[in-house]
Amino acid sequence: MYDRSGNYRSFDIWVYLQCNVTDNWPDHHTVHVSCKFTTYFGHTGPSSCIYGGIEGWNKMASPTSRPEPALSWLDSAIRVKPLQLADSWKKQQVEDALKKIHLTGAQVLRIKEVFHSEVERGIHEQPSSLQMENTYIPELPNGTEEGMFLALDLGGTNFRVILLELSNGALIRENVKRYHIREELRLGCGERLFDFLAECVSDFVRSQNLGGTRLPLGFTFSFPMIQKGLDVGILLTWTKSFNCPSVVGRDAVQMLREAINRRGDTHVEVLAVLNDTTGTLIQGAVLDKKTAIALILGTGSNACYIERADRVQHWEGQRHGEKEVIIDIEWGAFGDNGVLDFIKTDYDRKVDENSLITNSFTFEKYISGKYLGEIVRVIVVKLVEDCVLFGGTVSDALLTTGAFTTSFVSLIEQDTVGNNCENTPEILDKLGLSYNADDIAIMKYICETVSNRAALLVSICTATLLERLDRPDTTIAVDGSLYKYHPRLKSWMNKYIHLLAPEKKFKLLLAEDGSGKGAGLVAAIALRLKQRFSQT
Ligand code: BGC
């Protein structure tokens, strides 16, 4: 086979099949097979290496002994700075404990292959951990959006109701009110949650003196849902800090409408339901027309992008000649079918065990703000148990699930980036721990390693999406607390995405409050489509 520079390369293809047979075969067989394959030229420089990606690889479980190609160029590009400790025993213990958190170049390329394959399978409605949900949003704001719109934003522990006034597509007024959602509502009966949302809408509308005004509404519902249209969103599963079991399998829009009707004191019309990533893409497109991908890197994580409509198989209802449509990937669930098990560590398993909904949202648990701090905490506890950290003494706070927040990770990373030591001791004091200089260095190293893995994972998937889009230059709209407050997530992402999609020009753009502003804009688009389709 010839590489891109015309040089002939020969290589072996090794395919490992895991056989799920119940007779007396051993579990793993190494077989040479001839099969259809795609090649991936990881790098075209002198240390060029060919990584054979096997179609359907993801269907196979992780083999116990797959030979990994040496990818020294990638290995060194993604490596974090080594831990500097005078105590070589401690240093070794920490390195051993974190070994599996450091991804190798070979693993990185394999994740890329697997993600690509899952995207393909998802979009073709084949079994995949990626939902690839059609949002039914076929166009972006075009500057004609006019009038007053309500936006609801449900996803975090605060529910927001927003009034947006648009003129020629530009926002000329925005009033926002936040309502805290108590835990008993987040974890209780669905009707009570939606009654509470309706109560907030009513309170807000009254406070704006809009009781008698007809208001089109866009509902940002940032959870995985099956969309059967622009205003139908059937909850697939809760994530983050919500778990009201009676809502799963039901249409969130219908539940909202019913709750609003039960009160009967407002004139809002729910026109669209959307995800926060979708809102971010729409908001990004207002800021920069090249926007075609959006990411949320916050408490939860997700991505969406603009897909060619002819590639989208799942389309309920009539098509109207749409050329493109926004696809909500729901990448938080990437790996829920086991395709990412080859990078799962015992720490990840522990984090999952301690989570509200176990065995779900594998990828989100590797990368998002709800879990990064918890991964660090679990690693730290193990190192205390091994007498490597804090002289082997834990504190009650350190033993509490969720007590080490991702904001701590960002603050400790600030110390590392700024080469100082202000935040780390403060955090350790807060957690009631006694520490010395080695403990501080180790804490910094753990936070860097865990953050770097998250940055890499996000970048791998983003690079894969960039390659999927047939665009010369793409803007990626990003929002979320992790992205905003982590001091070097953005710079790592810039580096890794470039490394993994070297031929693609891109820009990361902070597009704040897509779940608010984007929802208003989507309601305006929905209104436009409704009027257009009713005329045809
Ligand atoms: C949800 C997504 C959402 C993301 C970011 C995830 O937990 O499943 O729908 O976009 O969080 O809020």
Side-chain angles (χ1 to χ4, degrees):
M1 131 147 315
Y2 293 89
D3 71 13
R4 283 182 191 151
S5 334
N7 301 317
Y8 184 75
R9 311 262 167 160
S10 68
F11 56 94
D12 291 324
I13 305 165
W14 292 77
V15 177
Y16 283 79
L17 297 176
Q18 177 170 343
C19 306
N20 291 325
V21 286
T22 48
D23 62 19
N24 58 358
W25 281 34
D27 265 359
H28 295 94
H29 281 266
T30 306
V31 285
H32 280 98
V33 292
S34 66
C35 66
K36 200 174 160 211
F37 65 93
T38 54
T39 55
Y40 179 85
F41 291 83
H43 181 61
T44 49
S47 59
S48 179
C49 136
I50 295 171
Y51 180 81
I54 310 298
E55 272 191 5
W57 176 261
N58 64 311
K59 277 188 282 183
M60 304 174 197
S62 359
T64 46
S65 58
R66 182 183 176 194
E68 289 184 340
L71 295 168
S72 47
W73 62 276
L74 188 51
D75 286 331
S76 56
I78 61 179
R79 198 168 296 147
V80 300
K81 271 219 320 256
L83 173 64
Q84 305 285 344
L85 275 193
D87 183 332
S88 57
W89 176 81
K90 262 192 199 169
K91 181 170 153 59
Q92 191 59 51
Q93 295 294 309
V94 176
E95 276 168 1
D96 289 350
L98 291 185
K99 194 157 182 265
K100 291 200 174 139
I101 299 273
H102 297 287
L103 297 177
T104 64
Q107 283 176 321
V108 165
L109 293 189
R110 184 164 166 205
I111 297 165
K112 194 159 177 268
E113 288 283 335
V114 171
F115 183 70
H116 170 79
S117 161
E118 291 285 278
V119 164
E120 274 295 311
R121 296 171 63 77
I123 206 96
H124 290 112
E125 296 200 274
Q126 290 163 2
S128 165
S129 56
L130 298 178
Q131 217 185 303
M132 306 299 290
E133 198 61 34
N134 187 344
T135 64
Y136 298 91
I137 301 174
E139 55 194 50
L140 300 173
N142 62 10
T144 62
E145 297 75 19
E146 274 305 317
M148 279 201 287
F149 298 88
L150 268 195
L152 305 187
D153 176 19
L154 184 74
T157 49
N158 283 322
F159 172 58
R160 291 186 313 150
V161 187
I162 307 147
L163 175 73
L164 300 146
E165 191 170 350
L166 303 171
S167 171
N168 294 325
L171 186 62
I172 54 169
R173 177 155 68 118
E174 184 182 15
N175 296 342
V176 188
K177 206 163 166 187
R178 286 186 167 72
Y179 299 86
H180 178 70
I181 309 183
R182 294 184 312 277
E183 189 177 66
E184 78 228 43
L185 286 174
R186 279 186 279 121
L187 303 180
C189 150
E191 266 75 16
R192 285 192 56 207
L193 172 67
F194 280 88
D195 278 340
F196 175 71
L197 303 186
E199 186 186 321
C200 299
V201 172
S202 156
D203 172 72
F204 179 80
V205 167
R206 239 181 305 120
S207 73
Q208 303 293 311
N209 295 319
L210 291 170
T213 313
R214 187 149 229 106
L215 290 164
L217 182 149
F219 180 21
T220 301
F221 184 67
S222 300
F223 300 96
M225 51 184 162
I226 297 174
Q227 282 204 247
K228 291 174 179 279
L230 199 38
D231 64 347
V232 182
I234 295 164
L235 178 69
L236 207 59
T237 171
W238 289 104
T239 61
K240 297 174 282 199
S241 41
F242 280 77
N243 194 7
C244 305
S246 63
V247 186
V248 175
R250 294 167 72 187
D251 179 6
V253 174
Q254 194 55 31
M255 289 187 80
L256 178 66
R257 282 184 183 138
E258 282 167 10
I260 289 172
N261 290 343
R262 271 197 290 279
R263 296 187 63 88
D265 57 357
T266 52
H267 292 89
V268 300
E269 193 187 352
V270 190
L271 289 185
V273 64
L274 63 145
N275 182 275
D276 48 0
T277 32
T278 312
T280 303
L281 199 155
I282 298 285
Q283 171 63 6
V286 170
L287 303 173
D288 180 338
K289 290 209 162 14
K290 291 185 195 136
T291 304
I293 297 176
L295 313 179
I296 296 287
L297 303 173
T299 308
S301 182
N302 192 10
C304 71
Y305 70 105
I306 301 179
E307 181 58 283
R308 267 174 26 203
D310 63 322
R311 279 178 172 170
V312 179
Q313 213 147 315
H314 182 88
W315 203 299
E316 301 203 15
Q318 216 187 323
R319 295 205 188 212
H320 297 90
E322 294 85 351
K323 295 213 162 37
E324 297 181 319
V325 69
I326 299 176
I327 294 294
D328 170 12
I329 301 178
E330 281 298 338
W331 78 13
F334 179 32
D336 282 6
N337 55 358
V339 292
L340 279 185
D341 282 1
F342 63 97
I343 60 163
K344 194 174 265 178
T345 66
D346 286 346
Y347 311 120
D348 299 309
R349 275 181 262 277
K350 186 97 198 144
V351 168
D352 184 46
E353 265 167 39
N354 294 344
S355 68
L356 196 56
I357 305 178
T358 55
N359 296 317
S360 95
F361 272 59
T362 308
F363 193 61
E364 179 157 292
K365 288 173 184 167
Y366 293 148
I367 61 171
S368 83
K370 176 123 182 88
Y371 304 101
L372 284 192
E374 182 62 7
I375 302 173
V376 170
R377 189 191 69 83
V378 167
I379 296 172
V380 170
V381 168
K382 145 109 176 82
L383 286 171
V384 178
E385 281 165 4
D386 294 349
C387 285
V388 179
L389 266 172
F390 312 126
T393 310
V394 277
S395 66
D396 286 347
L398 189 65
L399 290 176
T400 311
T401 302
F404 196 99
T405 60
T406 299
S407 64
F408 290 171
V409 178
S410 291
L411 287 167
I412 293 176
E413 275 283 88
Q414 260 172 33
D415 276 357
T416 307
V417 171
N419 199 20
N420 58 33
C421 196
E422 284 165 17
N423 300 330
T424 314
E426 223 174 85
I427 290 166
L428 298 179
D429 284 339
K430 239 187 229 163
L431 292 169
L433 295 159
S434 313
Y435 50 88
N436 59 25
D438 279 1
D439 295 324
I440 289 180
I442 296 170
M443 286 305 295
K444 284 178 161 182
Y445 184 68
I446 298 172
C447 290
E448 176 168 0
T449 306
V450 170
S451 302
N452 185 60
R453 181 180 72 160
L456 251 175
L457 290 171
V458 167
S459 305
I460 295 167
C461 300
T462 309
T464 313
L465 290 178
L466 268 180
E467 285 177 342
R468 185 174 182 82
L469 300 184
D470 190 17
R471 292 173 186 243
D473 191 1
T474 306
T475 295
I476 302 164
V478 196
D479 198 7
S481 49
L482 179 64
Y483 182 76
K484 280 197 284 195
Y485 303 121
H486 193 288
R488 56 174 152 179
L489 194 64
K490 181 176 176 185
S491 60
W492 271 330
M493 283 172 66
N494 270 317
K495 174 176 163 189
Y496 297 149
I497 296 172
H498 180 68
L499 202 68
L500 294 165
E503 278 154 24
K504 293 290 176 179
K505 196 166 166 215
F506 73 93
K507 181 170 94 190
L508 295 172
L509 170 78
L510 176 66
E512 288 186 279
D513 194 23
S515 42
K517 298 188 179 79
L521 288 160
V522 169
I525 295 172
L527 196 59
R528 180 163 79 224
L529 293 172
K530 203 171 162 187
Q531 284 158 359
R532 190 188 304 154
F533 298 156
S534 68
Q535 287 157 11
T536 55

